[in-house]
Amino acid sequence: MAKIIPFKGLRPTRDKVSLVSCRSFEDYNAVEIAYLLDYNPFSFIHVLNPAYVNQSKVTYDKRFKMVAAKLNDFKKEGILIKEEKPTYYLYQISTKTWSFTGIVAGTSIEDYQSNVIKRHEDTLEYRVRLFKEYLYHSKFNTEPVLMMYPDQEDINQWINIKKDEKPLYDFSTVTKERHTIWRIDQETDVEWLTKQFTDIQELYIADGHHRFASAELLQTEHADDDILRPHNSVMTYLIAESNIKIYEFNRIIHDLNNYTKEEFLGLLGQKFDVVNKEQQLWKPTKKMEFGMYLDGDFYALTLKDKKQSDSILQQLDAQILYDEVLHPILGLDDLRNDARIDYVPGNESIVTIKELVDDGEYEVGFMLYPTNVSEIKKVADNDLIMPPKSTYIEPKFMNGLFIYEI
């Protein structure tokens, strides 16, 4: 059974929430960051990047301590306030095409260690340790781990009732997203919601594997630390499986591994039915279909020999493309680190791939059919790891809305 925990969140005052909240730091370019830092004194970017002028001259430890100091400045200035009692939040993110509603709560590190919370992605040790150091020095996290739970009719009905109440926050962003948040702090609601999740047998990490692993490492290494006693939980956005949006990660490759176009198409033809779609913006409509853009034309690739396999990994389109094309023909081994390959998330138009190839930096692009929730769960249930960059999952979150202090 799953354990969720309310927490005393740190959050912006209602009058400043739209000014404080910001996208993930990596989503901004240097010009945008400079603008926010110069013209918005309330932006959480000030906390996340206090050393932006001389980053190359500042060590990680010193930078992380500066982050902690800036967060304290925001608290002293009354920009951020602390909840008086443990709280859950109901959080709705509405875009032009989709609406996501989930519950912000702590989830148990013990559940992660005992495989009640399941994972499907590999983690890089250096990234886990680096973010662990960030947590150790900054003593907070502001980006929840995205986690799926099986649809529950009682929870769905409860959510719909709560959404009729007056929200804590309701604001829109310059990217035309609407963010609506309800505070769940009444004791009866907190107890009821906590009880509902004890009847759920497994939770699945959708996005944020490194963040959860870092928090677990921090808790493990400092469990007996008299100065720092980290929480036994991680801030999480819990969302029903049916409400999540999964996109593919498309692949673009810099070269054809010294093959000519004709040689490359000949090799593909041994394993795929290759149909030239010319200028039609074509993308796959089902599994084991692949789109390709090469030398000004789109192609449809359909696997000829659809082998039956008991391995869920061998049934994944990302793995099939690697096994049949990227590795044996294009000579790509390490999809995570090879500089010859890059990735375009499926929420971007395939015109992006066309433009990147037409500009000459890349030779070929491949479009995949999205992975589904069932495949992710099967991989996790079998303690397997999906190929790198298999999924791009929404929703994505604003930073600075909820701060989970350690």
Side-chain angles (χ1 to χ4, degrees), residues 32-50:
E32 291 173 318
I33 291 172
Y35 179 86
L36 287 170
L37 293 172
D38 287 340
Y39 296 104
N40 182 0
F42 303 111
S43 174
F44 205 72
I45 289 290
H46 288 278
V47 176
L48 297 177
N49 197 36

Side-chain angles (χ1 to χ4, degrees), residues 247-313:
Y247 296 94
E248 73 282 7
F249 255 119
N250 299 308
R251 279 83 164 112
I252 47 176
I253 295 91
H254 284 280
D255 60 75
L256 297 181
N257 198 25
N258 294 320
Y259 291 114
T260 66
K261 171 186 172 182
E262 290 72 23
E263 290 171 337
F264 180 60
L265 289 173
L267 291 170
L268 287 178
Q270 296 174 15
K271 299 180 178 182
F272 297 87
D273 291 320
V274 182
V275 179
N276 190 339
K277 296 289 186 177
E278 299 180 344
Q279 297 303 301
Q280 179 184 348
L281 297 174
W282 192 88
K283 61 187 301 185
T285 58
K286 59 184 178 180
K287 284 183 60 60
M288 298 189 184
E289 275 187 350
F290 302 88
M292 183 176 73
Y293 184 70
L294 173 68
D295 193 28
D297 287 333
F298 285 90
Y299 294 82
L301 311 178
T302 304
L303 191 67
K304 290 180 178 180
D305 184 13
K306 299 178 181 178
K307 302 173 184 176
Q308 296 299 317
S309 174
D310 292 333
S311 169
I312 180 61
L313 286 180

Side-chain angles (χ1 to χ4, degrees), residues 127-139:
R127 284 188 59 191
V128 171
R129 289 206 162 271
L130 182 62
F131 194 69
K132 187 268 295 184
E133 289 300 310
Y134 170 85
L135 293 175
Y136 177 78
H137 291 291
S138 71
K139 296 179 175 57

